[in-house]
Amino acid sequence: MLSVGERGQIRTFDCSENPPFVSWEYSFDTASFTHVLCLTDSVFAVSDGSIFRFSSAKGKSIWSQHHLFPSPLDGASYSLLFVPDHDSLIIATQQRVGCLSASTGRILWSTQLNSNFPVVSLACFSEGYSSSFLGFAGKVLSLDLITGHVLWETATAGDIVTLVCVPCGPGQPPLVVAGCDGQLFVLDPDIGARLHQHNLSSMMTTA
């Protein structure tokens, strides 16, 4: 199954056939962009500040939370992250990040970010680690997955284009790798200190 978010709707395709066909679709009461996160058995969708969970096979609505977040100034600035260790869903948008129970949709925490900039990169985390990381215009934040408290904040040379949490060897913490404006930063996940900085020949797009 492949779910695609469009303006005001979500469509899910069955890719086992050639050509793929629409298995189910759902229309929202808005013309805003729809952002989706696809798991094996579920599809999460965010549209105009409301969050929905559907079954991936039939498109049955499992839960919804309406108008939790103001619509971002940039329609592409939502960030969605599923954290299997905590069965939770992280949603970040302009000036706010929140955490919901993936099973029930119950709000677990919500944190104001005190930033005038939208989220630039997708949220990321490392399995078994207690923090989530967000990239903004000019900085990286670390958030406690249980409480939502900001653990540290590190300035970078420009907008964070890509942000990944790289696993290390057994017993070692992961590394946070942030890319922006031709610069690559490797950060300590516990305190946000810069461990390495590399100049690249061109701007990063993905990692």
Side-chain angles (χ1 to χ4, degrees), residues 5 12 31-32 36-37 39 46 60-61 83 86 93 97 99 101 103 106 113 119 141 154 160 164 177 183 186:
T12 297
S32 299
V36 298
L37 175 63
L39 303 180
V46 182
K60 178 182 178 182
S61 177
V83 185
H86 301 276
T93 186
V97 58
C99 181
S101 165
S103 298
R106 181 172 64 90
L113 298 175
V119 174
L141 290 181
T154 296
I160 303 300
V164 293
V177 180
Q183 301 286 318
V186 180

Side-chain angles (χ1 to χ4, degrees), residues 67-161:
H67 308 299
L68 287 181
F69 297 95
S71 298
L73 298 180
D74 176 1
S77 61
Y78 281 114
S79 180
L80 299 177
L81 172 70
F82 175 66
V83 185
D85 289 352
H86 301 276
D87 188 36
S88 60
L89 183 69
I90 305 291
I91 306 101
T93 186
Q94 187 108 357
Q95 295 186 316
R96 185 182 299 178
V97 58
C99 181
L100 279 68
S101 165
S103 298
T104 67
R106 181 172 64 90
I107 302 172
L108 302 177
W109 52 260
S110 179
T111 298
Q112 289 292 121
L113 298 175
N114 297 320
S115 170
N116 293 323
F117 301 102
V119 174
V120 177
S121 72
L122 294 177
C124 69
F125 79 108
S126 181
E127 186 174 352
Y129 212 64
S130 60
S131 303
S132 174
F133 308 97
L134 295 172
F136 289 85
K139 64 182 177 181
V140 177
L141 290 181
S142 174
L143 296 167
D144 188 295
L145 286 171
I146 303 299
T147 65
H149 292 158
V150 176
L151 301 176
W152 53 256
E153 176 180 322
T154 296
T156 57
D159 291 2
I160 303 300
V161 178

Side-chain angles (χ1 to χ4, degrees), residues 18-99:
N18 189 13
F21 65 92
V22 176
S23 175
W24 58 267
E25 57 187 329
Y26 184 91
S27 296
F28 302 95
D29 296 328
T30 176
S32 299
F33 283 108
T34 302
H35 305 262
V36 298
L37 175 63
C38 304
L39 303 180
T40 302
D41 61 349
S42 300
V43 176
F44 297 96
V46 182
S47 184
D48 199 25
S50 298
I51 298 96
F52 304 81
R53 180 185 176 187
F54 303 94
S55 67
S56 57
K58 302 290 186 180
K60 178 182 178 182
S61 177
I62 299 175
W63 56 255
S64 61
Q65 287 277 14
H66 295 276
H67 308 299
L68 287 181
F69 297 95
S71 298
L73 298 180
D74 176 1
S77 61
Y78 281 114
S79 180
L80 299 177
L81 172 70
F82 175 66
V83 185
D85 289 352
H86 301 276
D87 188 36
S88 60
L89 183 69
I90 305 291
I91 306 101
T93 186
Q94 187 108 357
Q95 295 186 316
R96 185 182 299 178
V97 58
C99 181

